[in-house]
């Protein structure tokens, strides 16, 4: 057998490419993609058998196993009736161009190796920075997801705080503290563990909003121990936006790094009717937003933007003899701005989609989901057996069914998925079970949501 069989062009390679592209085309253009559901490990072992063998199965058989057994055991997170956690809804252009990124052998870690890709990604980052009111000098990098984005930003915040204290001749704290709301995303707490820092959880109001007075009290008490304040631009569970303007105004009184965790909700700034909720973002030192959520890009993609990109570079540039050719120049290398060195240019599918459809199409899609959220919330208020837990701000609706316990929600949710009606899982707040709609997909309709509510009668 030839040692170059897996790489050299041949009739076998052509058949593999044709088969994969045919499947991809059918999947992307299907008018009724199934929701699907997981299978047990034992059932998958029984159905799949052994696929990794010395001689190989061949492309057709391997693809058949994936198409008919493995793929149906994975939920379609872009399905219009996938309404749990935070869904994804990539545009057709973004999905198609993700194939191009993989097919082109592109590396996105340095300008030397990927100048064209980095240029395109930077255009998207500059567009987002303008939307958020950040200065023209702002910049950053696309990373894997919000967890990596938050961690990278908070490491940069710590290093900036360390440099500021040392320059002032002040003692460094024994342990750094990261201040955030008790309702902030769990990734901020995870980042603190990785950094060996403490999380200072400040209570939010009854409405879930972190306000300036609570942050001011913590800054006054802990001072230099706090390396970053994290404000949430759309919480995962409720879609609640913190009092960013009030917290940002505290920068006039205290010297701190303000990070906006907008992984899910910061996209709403593209909708004119929602921009007022995010006043103060323009004063942030760093922000993140996940295009694989409400900006209609494929997994996995998070935009990390620094007000001063040099702060990110000082914190994250890796130094080694074999990297000198990259680090000893002034050219922009994305890997200098986060904790990861190796990276694919994961921002390119979003660039292609924005370039294809235009920004106005994005604004209209985001506005439409906000309007649909308000409409279904009003329908929930109208039904006596249902109760909104909180009024929605963005595109997440959390509600309760009167008289239901957790077991009722579990049974109802399982029935929806078994019937391939919808994926809506139970949640909870303050010890009470509930459920929620996370509405991001422009293909989700009011009638779809009403049909789900009707199953709760």
């Amino acid at each position: 057998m030839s040692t170059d069989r897996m790489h050299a062009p041949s009739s076998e390679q052509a058949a593999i490419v044709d088969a994969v592209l045919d499947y991809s085309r059918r999947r992307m253009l299907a008018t009724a993609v199934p929701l699907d559901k997981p299978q047990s490990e034992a059932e998958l072992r029984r159905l799949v058998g052994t696929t990794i063998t010395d001689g190989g199965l061949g492309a057709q058989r391997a693809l058949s196993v994936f198409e008919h057994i493995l793929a149906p055991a994975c939920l379609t997170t872009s399905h219009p009736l996938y309404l749990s956690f935070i869904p994804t809804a990539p545009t057709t252009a973004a999905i198609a161009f993700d194939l191009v990124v993989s097919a082109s052998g592109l590396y996105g870690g340095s300008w030397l190796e990927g100048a064209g890709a980095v240029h395109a990604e930077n255009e998207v980052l500059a567009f987002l920075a303008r939307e958020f009111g950040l200065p023209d000098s702002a910049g950053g990098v696309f990373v894997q997801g919000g967890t990596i984005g938050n961690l990278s930003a908070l490491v940069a915040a710590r290093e900036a705080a360390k440099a500021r204290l040392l320059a002032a001749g002040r003692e460094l704290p024994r342990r750094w503290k990261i201040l955030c709301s008790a309702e902030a995303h769990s990734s901020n707490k995870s980042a603190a563990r990785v950094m060996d820092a403490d999380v200072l959880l400040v209570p939010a109001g009854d409405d879930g909003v972190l306000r300036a007075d609570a942050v001011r009290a913590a800054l006054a008490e802990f001072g230099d121990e706090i390396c970053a304040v994290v404000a949430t631009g759309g919480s995962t569970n409720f879609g609640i936006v913190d009092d960013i303007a009030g917290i940002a105004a505290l920068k006039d009184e205290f010297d701190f790094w303000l990070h906006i965790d907008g992984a899910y909700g910061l996209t709403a700034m593209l909708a004119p009717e929602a921009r007022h909720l995010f006043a103060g973002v323009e004063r942030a030192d760093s922000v993140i937003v996940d295009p694989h959520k409400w900006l209609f890009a494929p997994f996995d993609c998070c935009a990390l933007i620094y007000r001063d990109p040099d702060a990110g570079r000082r914190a994250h540039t890796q130094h080694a003899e074999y990297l000198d050719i990259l680090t000893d120049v002034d050219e922009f290398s994305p890997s200098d701005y986060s904790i990861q060195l190796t990276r694919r240019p994961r921002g390119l599918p979003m660039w292609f989609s924005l370039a294809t459809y235009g920004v106005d199409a994005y604004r209209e899609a985001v506005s439409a989901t906000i309007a649909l959220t308000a409409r279904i919330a009003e329908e929930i208020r109208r039904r006596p057996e249902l109760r909104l837990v909180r009024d929605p701000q963005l595109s997440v609706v959390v509600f309760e069914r009167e008289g239901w316990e957790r077991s009722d929600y579990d049974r109802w949710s399982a029935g929806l998925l078994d019937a391939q009606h919808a994926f809506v899982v139970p949640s909870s707040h303050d010890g009470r079970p509930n459920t929620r709609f996370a509405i991001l997909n422009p293909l989700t309709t009011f009638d779809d949501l009403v049909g789900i509510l009707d199953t709760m009668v």
Side-chain angles (χ1 to χ4, degrees):
M1 183 178 294
S2 173
T3 57
D4 63 1
R5 174 192 167 201
M6 296 187 297
H7 297 86
S10 65
S11 58
E12 180 186 21
Q13 306 291 50
I16 292 172
V17 171
D18 288 344
V20 169
L21 291 180
D22 175 66
Y23 170 78
S24 300
R25 178 182 176 82
R26 287 186 283 110
R27 181 77 184 198
M28 283 189 281
L29 298 179
T31 57
V33 174
L35 182 58
D36 289 326
K37 61 180 182 178
Q39 297 281 358
S40 69
E41 184 177 355
E43 181 66 2
L44 285 175
R45 275 201 305 266
R46 185 186 71 81
L47 293 172
V48 174
T50 300
T51 59
I52 309 301
T53 65
D54 289 343
L57 300 182
Q60 290 292 346
R61 186 176 171 192
L63 184 59
S64 179
V65 169
F66 176 78
E67 180 176 1
H68 298 294
I69 303 175
L70 298 177
C74 301
L75 283 164
T76 302
T77 59
S78 58
H79 193 283
L81 292 173
Y82 182 108
L83 297 162
S84 294
F85 309 119
I86 299 293
T88 186
T91 67
T92 301
I95 298 170
F97 207 74
D98 209 26
L99 294 175
V100 173
V101 173
S102 294
S104 300
L106 301 177
Y107 175 70
S110 72
W111 187 269
L112 175 65
E113 297 157 287
V118 174
H119 174 84
E121 287 187 314
N122 284 350
E123 186 177 1
V124 179
L125 292 168
F127 156 70
L128 292 173
R130 287 194 302 273
E131 287 293 313
F132 304 152
L134 296 172
D136 291 343
S137 56
V141 59
F142 286 99
V143 296
Q144 177 183 352
T147 298
I148 300 297
N150 282 333
L151 175 59
S152 297
L154 293 173
V155 167
R158 181 191 62 193
E159 295 307 297
K162 185 187 301 183
R164 172 171 53 84
L165 293 181
L166 290 176
R170 283 145 66 181
E171 186 177 348
L172 298 181
R174 186 179 62 83
R175 288 179 65 83
W176 295 101
K177 289 181 170 56
I178 296 168
L179 187 156
C180 63
S181 164
E183 298 201 17
H185 192 269
S186 58
S187 63
N188 293 287
K189 304 176 186 69
S190 174
R193 286 196 301 272
V194 172
M195 295 167 60
D196 197 25
D198 294 327
V199 176
L200 185 59
L201 293 179
V202 177
D206 291 340
D207 55 1
V209 176
L210 176 65
R211 291 188 166 80
D213 53 355
V215 175
R216 177 187 285 108
L219 288 169
E221 180 178 356
F222 294 100
D224 290 343
E225 295 179 64
I226 297 174
C227 64
V229 173
V230 180
T232 300
S235 61
T236 299
N237 201 26
F238 282 95
I240 298 298
V241 181
D242 286 340
D243 174 23
I244 298 173
I247 296 169
L250 295 175
K251 291 173 75 70
D252 296 332
E253 303 175 44
F254 302 92
D255 193 354
F256 65 92
W257 180 292
L258 175 59
H259 174 63
I260 307 298
D261 180 358
Y264 148 62
L266 201 54
T267 295
M269 288 192 73
L270 271 67
E273 65 272 23
R275 286 190 67 86
H276 69 281
L277 297 171
F278 299 90
V281 167
E282 69 278 359
R283 298 195 65 179
D285 296 286
S286 57
V287 305
I288 66 160
V289 64
D290 285 357
H292 64 229
K293 293 185 171 78
W294 209 356
L295 282 170
F296 314 127
F299 290 124
D300 44 11
C301 185
C302 167
L304 163 61
I305 304 174
Y306 298 100
R307 180 181 201 84
D308 174 13
D310 284 345
R313 186 172 185 172
R314 286 191 294 269
H316 293 295
T317 297
Q318 296 187 32
H319 296 278
E321 291 178 347
Y322 75 97
L323 294 175
D324 287 346
I325 193 173
L326 303 179
T327 56
D328 291 347
V329 297
D330 293 330
E331 293 169 338
F332 186 95
S333 291
S335 291
D336 288 340
Y337 299 90
S338 74
I339 63 169
Q340 57 188 36
L341 181 63
T342 300
R343 67 177 295 273
R344 72 195 300 268
R346 51 177 41 88
L348 282 184
M350 184 181 175
W351 165 80
F352 183 72
S353 185
L354 276 169
T356 297
Y357 301 120
V359 176
D360 286 348
Y362 276 72
R363 295 195 196 283
E364 291 165 7
V366 173
S367 290
T369 50
I370 293 174
L372 176 57
T373 303
R375 187 180 177 194
I376 198 62
E378 186 57 38
E379 176 67 19
I380 291 169
R381 290 188 192 97
R382 192 183 64 79
R383 297 188 176 216
E385 74 276 10
L386 302 179
R387 184 185 73 85
L388 283 176
V389 178
R390 283 178 180 159
D391 290 334
Q393 276 190 308
L394 301 178
S395 69
V396 175
V397 185
V398 183
F399 58 99
E400 295 179 354
R401 170 62 162 85
E402 294 291 344
W404 275 18
E405 299 179 352
R406 179 56 187 257
S407 59
D408 298 301
Y409 288 99
D410 289 338
R411 187 164 46 250
W412 167 77
S413 175
L416 286 177
L417 187 57
D418 286 342
Q420 292 289 279
H421 189 168
F423 181 61
V424 186
V425 299
S427 185
S428 65
H429 179 65
D430 283 344
R432 291 172 59 92
N434 58 48
T435 192
R436 57 193 281 282
F437 293 154
I439 305 167
L440 300 186
N441 195 321
L443 297 179
T444 304
T445 69
F446 179 72
D447 288 342
D448 288 335
L449 301 175
V450 168
I452 297 170
L453 297 182
D454 288 343
T455 66
M456 304 181 82
V457 174

